[in-house]
């Protein structure tokens, strides 16, 4: 998906160069001379990033975006010698300041940071592999998808993964958190409004349905949507048209809907808080994300990723997690899931000073040690056993047997007699198996040696 960049300011030579650099990096650039014109562009088309000339009222832009509930980053740019203006822009709410004349690498880094937006999708655990495989199978279709799971499990990240593997990947991916917006404003956020439709509607504004045209609309925490709006949403899905608030004619839309919920929507249907017909319209494909505590291999992969990310962000040396820290991470309940793990690793990176991130650096926000299961060792053993069991599913008995025999032989440094005793088989049976593997081209260690790959 191309980054949608809006540049606000007079396009002199330096801003023209900045625009050209951004387009060379794959951004779709729109220009507005003044603040009012820029806001009209955002109301009509939306954007992912705003770059504004520091000589314009940056604070007013930030305040206007907040007032109109447009959540997008603002970057100020100006002459490199104007240090006072740069400080003022950051204090006003700009996320970054780019000195002019523009540096291509810096503009590219800003665009890349916004495009990434913490959307890295990492998984290793077989429990997640099953979900991801199903997601990728249906990504190319137009089917609506319902993603459920506890808060912080990565529902939005999975939705973006689906979008990136769909035929809509080069069109917008727009996300709206239904729980974060009051009911009386959510209708306008979804469907847009005409000028004068209600108090404060000073100009026409498109809603998320129109902003996502051709692409994907993610409705986060859809279970919190008011039943009256559920009816309007159902019509939009069935008829592919929406009505702006205060509008006089339907507006056609072409989007794919992905919805998320941390509640059981089937139960919400039973208790009458969610429409049954909308539930079935959304639940064409159901992707259920397991909790992080049920994905031990993901805990370690994500912990390593976050450790590298925050070491780089804070200019600190990369420190791997110690064996004890890894054990603690796998044993922790992670009720906040990936979000809680990320925060814990961020703190640990800042607190660590040795060669590794030690277990005592993994703390809760109040400085206490991480909570673990009541019986730490038993819980860890159970999780490890579960992970090992899941890793065997889908493999043949012969494949598992071969790995077991060769790994045991490695452990015994090639000693056939010792390996046979551990495996509970005769030395003759072991030799026959090893001859069979050698004939198939598999490396078998000689006595006193390990396999080259070990």
């Amino acid at each position: 998906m191309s980054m949608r960049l809006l540049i606000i300011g007079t396009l002199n030579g330096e801003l023209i160069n900045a625009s050209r650099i951004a387009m060379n990096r794959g951004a779709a650039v729109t220009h507005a001379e003044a603040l009012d014109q820029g806001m009209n562009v955002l109301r009509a088309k939306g954007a992912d990033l705003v770059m504004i000339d520091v000589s314009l009222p940056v604070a007013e832009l930030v305040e206007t975006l907040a007032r109109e509930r447009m959540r997008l980053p603002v970057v100020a740019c100006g002459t490199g010698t104007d240090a006072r203006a740069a400080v003022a822009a950051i204090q006003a709410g700009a996320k970054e300041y780019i000195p002019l004349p523009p540096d291509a690498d810096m503009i590219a880094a800003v665009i890349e940071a916004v495009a990434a937006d913490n959307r890295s999708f990492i998984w290793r655990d077989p429990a997640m592999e099953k979900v991801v495989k199903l997601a990728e199978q249906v990504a190319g279709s137009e089917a609506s998808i319902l993603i459920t799971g506890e808060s912080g499990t990565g529902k939005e990240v999975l939705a973006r993964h689906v979008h990136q593997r769909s035929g809509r990947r080069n069109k917008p991916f727009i996300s709206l958190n239904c729980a974060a917006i009051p009911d009386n404003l959510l209708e306008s956020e979804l469907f847009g409004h005409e000028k004068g439709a209600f108090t404060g509607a000073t100009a026409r504004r498109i809603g998320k349905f129109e902003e996502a045209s051709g692409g994907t609309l993610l409705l986060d925490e859809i279970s919190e949507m008011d039943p009256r709006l559920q009816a309007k949403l159902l019509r939009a899905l069935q008829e592919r048209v929406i009505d702006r608030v205060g509008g006089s004619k339907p507006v056609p839309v072409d989007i794919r809907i992905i919805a998320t919920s941390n509640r059981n929507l089937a139960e919400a249907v039973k208790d009458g808080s969610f429409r049954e017909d909308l539930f079935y319209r959304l639940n064409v494909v159901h992707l259920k994300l397991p909790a992080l505590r049920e994905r031990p291999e993901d805990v370690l992969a994500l912990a390593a990723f976050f450790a590298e990310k925050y070491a780089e962000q804070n200019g600190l040396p990369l420190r791997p997690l110690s064996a004890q820290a890894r054990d603690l991470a796998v044993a922790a309940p992670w009720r906040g899931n990936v979000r809680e793990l990320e925060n814990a690793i961020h703190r640990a990176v800042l607190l660590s000073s040795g060669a590794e991130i030690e277990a005592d650096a993994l703390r809760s926000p109040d400085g206490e040690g991480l909570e673990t299961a009541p019986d730490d060792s038993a819980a860890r053993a159970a999780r490890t056993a579960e992970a090992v069991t899941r890793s065997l599913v889908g493999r043949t008995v012969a494949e598992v047997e071969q790995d077991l025999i060769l790994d045991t032989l490695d452990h015994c440094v090639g000693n056939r007699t010792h390996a046979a005793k551990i495996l509970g088989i005769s030395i003759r049976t072991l030799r026959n198996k090893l001859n069979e593997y050698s004939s198939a081209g598999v490396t078998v260690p000689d006595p006193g040696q390990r396999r080259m790959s070990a």
Side-chain angles (χ1 to χ4, degrees):
M1 180 184 73
S2 61
M3 165 67 57
R4 299 173 300 161
L5 170 63
L6 170 63
I7 296 179
I8 303 177
T10 302
L11 277 184
N12 55 26
E14 291 169 346
L15 269 184
I16 288 175
N17 286 338
S19 175
R20 185 177 298 116
I21 291 168
M23 287 189 288
N24 288 340
R25 298 288 176 167
V29 179
T30 306
H31 172 246
E33 287 278 343
L35 194 60
D36 288 348
Q37 184 185 351
M39 286 306 304
N40 286 335
V41 170
L42 292 174
R43 294 181 187 114
K45 298 171 59 178
D48 301 305
L49 172 67
V50 176
M51 185 183 295
I52 181 171
D53 190 319
V54 76
S55 65
L56 296 176
V58 178
E60 184 181 342
L61 171 64
V62 173
E63 290 166 4
T64 305
L65 291 174
R67 186 169 59 250
E68 299 201 20
R69 303 173 306 283
M70 295 184 186
R71 298 170 180 85
L72 65 161
V74 173
V75 173
C77 52
T79 58
T81 56
D82 199 350
R84 186 176 300 174
V87 171
I90 297 297
Q91 290 175 339
K95 299 295 184 185
E96 187 62 79
Y97 178 81
I98 297 179
L100 300 175
D103 179 85
D105 290 339
M106 187 170 187
I107 290 179
V110 170
I111 291 174
E112 178 60 30
V114 174
D117 193 24
N118 296 323
R119 296 167 192 164
S120 298
F121 189 33
I122 294 171
W123 80 94
R124 297 288 183 278
D125 201 274
M128 271 295 287
E129 179 68 28
K130 181 169 63 175
V131 178
V132 175
K133 185 175 180 181
L134 175 58
E136 292 179 345
Q137 284 178 328
V138 300
S141 73
E142 291 295 298
S144 297
I145 295 175
L146 176 64
I147 304 177
T148 60
E150 294 179 9
S151 180
T153 46
K155 296 187 289 293
E156 180 170 348
V157 178
L158 181 60
R160 292 184 184 277
H161 187 70
V162 169
H163 174 74
Q164 289 299 326
R165 279 153 183 76
S166 75
R168 298 174 176 266
R169 67 181 68 87
N170 294 320
K171 296 293 184 178
F173 177 95
I174 304 297
S175 175
L176 179 67
N177 188 325
C178 300
I181 300 172
D183 290 339
N184 62 328
L185 298 177
L186 185 55
E187 182 175 5
S188 171
E189 287 291 311
L190 280 170
F191 306 116
H193 61 252
E194 298 291 347
K195 181 178 179 179
F198 51 83
T199 302
T202 57
R204 169 189 280 184
R205 179 178 168 188
I206 66 166
K208 298 303 182 186
F209 264 84
E210 289 181 82
E211 190 176 343
S213 179
T216 302
L217 175 61
L218 171 64
L219 297 177
D220 202 12
E221 301 307 342
I222 196 170
S223 55
E224 305 308 309
M225 183 179 289
D226 180 82
R228 182 183 66 84
L229 275 185
Q230 291 177 27
K232 287 200 70 171
L233 175 59
L234 179 64
R235 175 177 180 259
L237 294 178
Q238 289 176 332
E239 301 180 19
R240 299 278 181 171
V241 296
I242 55 108
D243 295 311
R244 294 196 193 108
V245 178
S248 58
K249 61 179 182 179
V251 178
V253 291
D254 170 27
I255 60 170
R256 193 232 196 119
I257 291 285
I258 300 179
T260 76
S261 177
N262 57 16
R263 291 175 54 196
N264 185 324
L265 277 188
E267 291 298 321
V269 169
K270 288 181 181 178
D271 66 28
S273 62
F274 201 83
R275 292 180 62 109
E276 184 175 23
D277 45 7
L278 178 57
F279 171 67
Y280 286 118
R281 173 68 63 169
L282 293 171
N283 195 33
V284 177
V285 178
H286 182 196
L287 302 176
K288 185 176 181 181
L289 278 175
L292 184 60
R293 57 187 167 275
E294 299 167 0
R295 298 146 48 187
E297 292 182 42
D298 283 2
V299 171
L300 298 179
L302 286 163
F305 170 77
F306 292 136
E308 181 177 353
K309 171 184 174 180
Y310 288 111
E312 182 178 341
Q313 277 192 12
N314 292 281
L316 296 170
L318 173 61
R319 297 181 176 93
L321 271 69
S322 69
Q324 292 80 7
R326 292 196 298 272
D327 285 346
L328 178 59
V330 169
W334 300 120
R335 292 183 178 86
N337 293 292
V338 178
R339 194 175 293 121
E340 182 186 359
L341 173 66
E342 180 173 7
N343 291 340
I345 298 299
H346 192 174
R347 285 190 295 273
V349 167
L350 300 177
L351 293 171
S352 297
S353 56
E356 294 181 312
I357 294 175
E358 298 295 346
D360 62 2
L362 291 173
R363 303 177 187 175
S364 63
D366 58 8
E368 298 295 324
L370 277 187
E371 180 187 357
T372 58
D375 180 357
D376 188 19
S377 59
R380 183 163 58 251
R383 292 172 194 272
T384 302
E386 182 183 3
V388 169
T389 300
R390 285 204 304 257
S391 69
L392 299 178
V393 176
R395 306 180 64 199
T396 66
V397 171
E399 289 171 340
V400 174
E401 180 188 64
Q402 177 177 308
D403 281 352
L404 176 61
I405 289 174
L406 293 177
D407 286 347
T408 304
L409 195 59
D410 262 344
H411 174 74
C412 299
V413 196
N415 187 313
R416 270 69 169 159
T417 302
H418 192 189
K421 286 181 180 178
I422 293 175
L423 291 165
I425 59 178
S426 69
I427 186 68
R428 180 178 179 180
T429 299
L430 176 59
R431 285 174 178 156
N432 288 340
K433 290 289 183 183
L434 296 179
N435 288 336
E436 178 185 322
Y437 301 154
S438 294
S439 299
V442 177
T443 301
V444 174
D446 293 324
Q449 295 181 345
R450 295 180 186 270
R451 281 179 290 170
M452 295 296 290
S453 60

